[in-house]
Amino acid sequence: MSDGIDRVVTGGGIADLEPLEQAREQKAWYWYDWANSAYTTTIGTVFFGPYFINLAENAVGGEEGRFEVGSLSLPPDSLFFWLITVSTILSALILPPLGAYADRVANKKRLLATLAWTGAFFASLIFFATGDNWLLAAVGIVFGNLFFGAAGVVNDSILPLISDEDDRDRVSSRGWAFGYLGGGLLLVLNLAVYLGHEALGLDEGLAARLCMLSAAVWWAGFTLIPFLRLRNHQPVDVEPVEGNAVRRSFGQLAATLRELRNYPMALTFLVAYLFFNDGIQTVIASASVYGSEELGHSQTVLIATILMVQFVAFGGALLFGRLAGLFGAKRSILLGLAIWCVIVTVALFLPAGNVPFFLVLGAAIGVVLGGTQALARSYFSLLIPRGKEAEYFSFYHAMDRGTSWFGTATFGIVLAVTDSYRPAIFALIAFFVIGGLLLTRVDTERGIREAGNDVPAVI
């Protein structure tokens, strides 16, 4: 007989197979980080920025051309940062009601796959953007980022369903680490294609477009694994709101907004995350453009550096997972933010054309990149109530997609005013400092108890 719970009858009674099923789900869940990391690295970090700027420059007759938008006169390279800002603002508006809907869905794996496959479709449109067709590339990246964020909300909301409080930092860190391996492997393949484009009979632009297309295909293809292997989880503690799915979702969202005051530690962390994650995401988004436009490094050096970052980040994510097990996630995140402050300060003075220094800086980014993000995800999951994981993670992701608008807007403004990337990237130190100071105000144990979760042995 079956009652929906995995059991087996033995000579000594009934053995609970739930831990085994939970471990299987965790392994399946890791594959989505493997799948979507390719989009972040190949498209978001390495190829799209320089390629889009080239399209924009073609549209206005070269580097000295300007885009006239109302009373604004924008250089083509700054248009890229404003474009990403727009995609993040759209996410902030759309993701919260989506999260409320996802909390009411038992088949989260199907919703995850649908959103991921839609995002991969839009990302694939970038392949067809050639010459001066920056608008098609803009559509591809804006909606690619939007659906990437939407799928991320659902994916992160699954974490509390497949792991216990004591295990969550480890599971989240392993997911991030696995993602860096996936993104790194595809970058190896793309590096071979890009460097050997002449031998393959490809021009440089076509090689770059093929690399970006491969990331969209990779994202869509490997999403099949969690889609097939994750289980359904029945919703719990949803708001009793009448009406169709859309009306119920907005009703739940309204109720949650009213109840936020009951979870002040979760709210404080969200504000802290808004700041320090803005800094992290803007560094990620601007890394290849900063390396090429300000430091004069070739695309080959940039790809090799990002590839190195991927594999260093694999170890960094696992390292920070261990640190969280010893000292708690909050202390480990604060350590990571201190290192980020050092990184942007060093970037201000980094000499142009010096490849070894650039590689050292990239290695430092790799150490803290995965660790701070993985622990932020698992730490936040402890501060939110059961049954509203997707909704709370929608607020979390509204501040996290592609780049966050405070960071990119700051970067774009400083770049436009100073006409230099150096002060623009150094300005991001404010986000790490403010985020860290706000994080120190989060009482971890209080927040976990307010959310009704079990307090882990180490916090």
Side-chain angles (χ1 to χ4, degrees):
M1 62 180 292
S2 173
D3 58 2
I5 301 176
D6 295 300
R7 306 173 188 270
V8 62
V9 179
T10 68
I14 297 177
D16 186 6
L17 294 183
E18 183 62 23
L20 179 60
E21 288 298 323
Q22 191 176 73
R24 289 173 179 169
E25 280 203 284
Q26 290 169 5
K27 292 176 182 177
W29 183 76
Y30 296 155
W31 281 100
Y32 186 71
D33 276 321
W34 172 284
N36 72 4
S37 182
Y39 175 84
T40 302
T41 55
T42 292
I43 296 179
T45 304
V46 177
F47 284 103
F48 183 78
Y51 186 77
F52 178 82
I53 289 174
N54 180 258
L55 294 178
E57 289 175 350
N58 291 341
V60 293
E63 295 181 9
E64 303 304 320
R66 311 284 287 191
F67 280 96
E68 304 298 332
V69 183
S71 60
L72 297 176
S73 180
L74 303 176
D77 52 355
S78 117
L79 180 64
F80 164 71
F81 295 99
W82 287 107
L83 178 67
I84 304 302
T85 299
V86 168
S87 75
T88 307
I89 293 174
L90 283 176
S91 294
L93 297 174
I94 293 173
L95 295 189
L98 170 69
Y101 171 75
D103 282 327
R104 296 176 173 273
V105 174
N107 195 346
K108 287 184 173 61
K109 64 179 185 178
R110 183 174 62 189
L111 180 59
L112 169 67
T114 300
L115 295 169
W117 291 333
T118 305
F121 164 77
F122 279 106
S124 68
L125 295 180
I126 300 170
F127 174 79
F128 301 99
T130 60
D132 61 357
N133 192 359
W134 64 271
L135 188 57
L136 180 60
V139 170
I141 200 67
V142 167
F143 287 97
N145 279 353
L146 179 61
F147 283 94
F148 182 94
V153 167
V154 179
N155 183 62
D156 286 355
S157 73
I158 294 172
L159 173 62
L161 306 179
I162 62 173
S163 61
D164 301 324
E165 286 86 347
D166 281 306
D167 205 28
R168 207 157 291 167
D169 289 333
R170 179 191 64 84
V171 174
S172 183
S173 296
R174 286 192 177 185
W176 275 101
F178 201 55
Y180 282 117
L181 279 183
L185 176 59
L186 185 62
L187 265 185
V188 169
L189 300 175
N190 285 336
L191 180 61
V193 170
Y194 189 82
L195 293 179
H197 67 271
E198 292 183 356
L200 295 172
L202 307 172
D203 62 48
E204 189 174 4
L206 178 57
R209 290 189 292 120
L210 284 172
C211 290
M212 288 188 279
L213 180 62
S214 74
V217 173
W218 181 285
W219 180 14
F222 281 106
T223 297
L224 278 168
I225 297 176
F227 173 66
L228 294 174
R229 296 183 181 177
L230 288 173
R231 296 182 295 170
N232 294 335
H233 294 266
Q234 291 300 321
V236 296
D237 298 331
V238 295
E239 296 294 331
V241 182
E242 299 296 329
N244 59 30
V246 173
R247 181 177 177 182
R248 291 197 303 271
S249 299
F250 276 98
Q252 179 173 323
L253 177 61
T256 298
L257 289 174
R258 290 193 298 269
E259 293 174 1
L260 269 175
R261 64 181 181 272
N262 297 327
Y263 308 104
M265 296 300 100
L267 185 58
T268 302
F269 178 79
L270 271 178
V271 178
Y273 182 75
L274 166 65
F275 282 96
F276 74 73
N277 186 67
D278 280 359
I280 293 172
Q281 295 298 331
T282 308
V283 170
I284 294 171
S286 62
S288 61
V289 177
Y290 180 77
S292 62
E293 301 294 321
E294 182 67 36
L295 302 181
H297 293 306
S298 67
Q299 191 77 343
T300 301
V301 171
L302 297 177
I303 294 175
T305 303
I306 296 300
L307 179 60
M308 180 267 296
V309 168
Q310 289 296 113
F311 291 107
V312 172
F314 166 74
L318 296 179
L319 171 64
F320 270 76
R322 288 183 175 274
L323 290 175
L326 295 172
F327 307 109
K330 176 181 171 180
R331 294 184 183 91
S332 301
I333 295 171
L334 287 171
L335 172 63
L337 296 183
I339 298 174
W340 277 111
C341 289
V342 174
I343 286 170
V344 295
T345 302
V346 171
L348 175 65
F349 302 103
L350 202 65
N354 191 306
V355 175
F357 283 4
F358 189 65
L359 290 173
V360 170
L361 188 67
I365 290 174
V367 170
V368 293
L369 179 59
T372 48
Q373 292 181 312
L375 293 183
R377 175 170 66 179
S378 57
Y379 184 71
F380 181 64
S381 74
L382 297 173
L383 305 176
I384 59 179
R386 289 184 176 92
K388 294 186 177 181
E389 294 89 355
E391 190 171 357
Y392 275 83
F393 269 113
S394 70
F395 296 124
Y396 180 90
H397 275 270
M399 306 168 186
D400 178 43
R401 279 303 27 96
T403 55
S404 299
W405 69 275
F406 279 156
T408 50
T410 299
F411 194 99
I413 290 170
V414 176
L415 174 61
V417 171
T418 66
D419 201 28
S420 172
Y421 288 87
R422 294 180 184 274
I425 202 162
F426 179 70
L428 302 177
I429 195 172
F431 292 87
F432 299 121
V433 172
I434 295 172
L437 290 174
L438 288 170
L439 181 57
T440 62
R441 299 181 63 84
V442 178
D443 184 330
T444 305
E445 184 172 355
R446 174 188 166 187
I448 294 172
R449 294 191 185 282
E450 287 173 344
N453 296 317
D454 297 330
V455 179
V458 179
I459 58 172

